[in-house]
Amino acid sequence: MANLEITITELTSICREVLEDAYLQMRNRASWDLNCPVVVVDARHQPPRQVQIGVGGVGGVVPVSTAIENPLIREWLEISAEVAQPQEAMDEMLSRYASDFSDAYADFQDEKIRKGGCLIGSDDLAAFVNQSRTAYPEKIAVLAVLPGAEEHQWSVIPFSWTPA
């Protein structure tokens, strides 16, 4: 069962060994490139799954969605986070955009099924790669997948870490 109240501080404490190893490997590199190590922590289940990987391989660990980049899907996700019932967001989007939203949503659902769940958008992944490059060589980039209130919900939180 996922701990919905887990903090980044608690997560980094649990994953300290993997984070330190990735940090040391990153510090031993002469320059940043797509093989620079990062850590992906999936805390939707306990114990958290920890993966150290080159930043260029994150898309092979965390399913990437291109459909989520559709502005209608982004808007629907924002509305969904604000309303009490998910159906309210769906009804609002359908009333505003009708078949345009219906088509975008069908593409999103097809992609989720095909990839086993879409966790991160391609723009978000590109931002994470840039974060890794910006943090180098002082900090290691970390991508945390945290549980949501429901089993099918999650949030992806990128952050940078350095040993204290």
Side-chain angles (χ1 to χ4, degrees), residues 26-138:
M26 184 264 308
R27 293 289 292 183
N28 287 329
R29 298 182 63 80
S31 63
W32 183 91
D33 62 28
L34 290 176
N35 292 315
C36 195
V38 297
V39 174
V40 176
V41 179
D42 186 346
R44 292 175 298 160
H45 305 284
Q46 298 300 322
R49 178 177 171 230
Q50 308 163 48
V51 178
Q52 179 182 322
I53 190 165
V55 69
V58 170
V61 175
V62 180
V64 178
S65 172
T66 54
I68 204 170
E69 299 304 334
N70 183 311
L72 295 176
I73 297 300
R74 288 285 186 180
E75 183 176 344
W76 169 69
L77 290 170
E78 289 173 15
I79 293 170
S80 294
E82 297 169 359
V83 296
Q85 297 294 322
Q87 189 60 44
E88 291 177 50
M90 181 68 69
D91 293 344
E92 183 174 334
M93 292 300 292
L94 287 170
S95 72
R96 283 191 202 172
Y97 304 106
S99 65
D100 288 340
F101 174 70
S102 181
D103 293 344
Y105 184 78
D107 291 344
F108 178 64
Q109 292 303 314
D110 288 345
E111 186 181 56
K112 278 177 57 177
I113 292 166
R114 198 172 61 253
K115 294 184 176 183
C118 297
L119 297 179
I120 189 170
S122 55
D123 286 350
D124 296 326
L125 180 57
F128 181 69
V129 170
N130 189 51
Q131 175 188 341
S132 170
R133 183 177 55 207
T134 303
Y136 176 86
E138 302 302 320

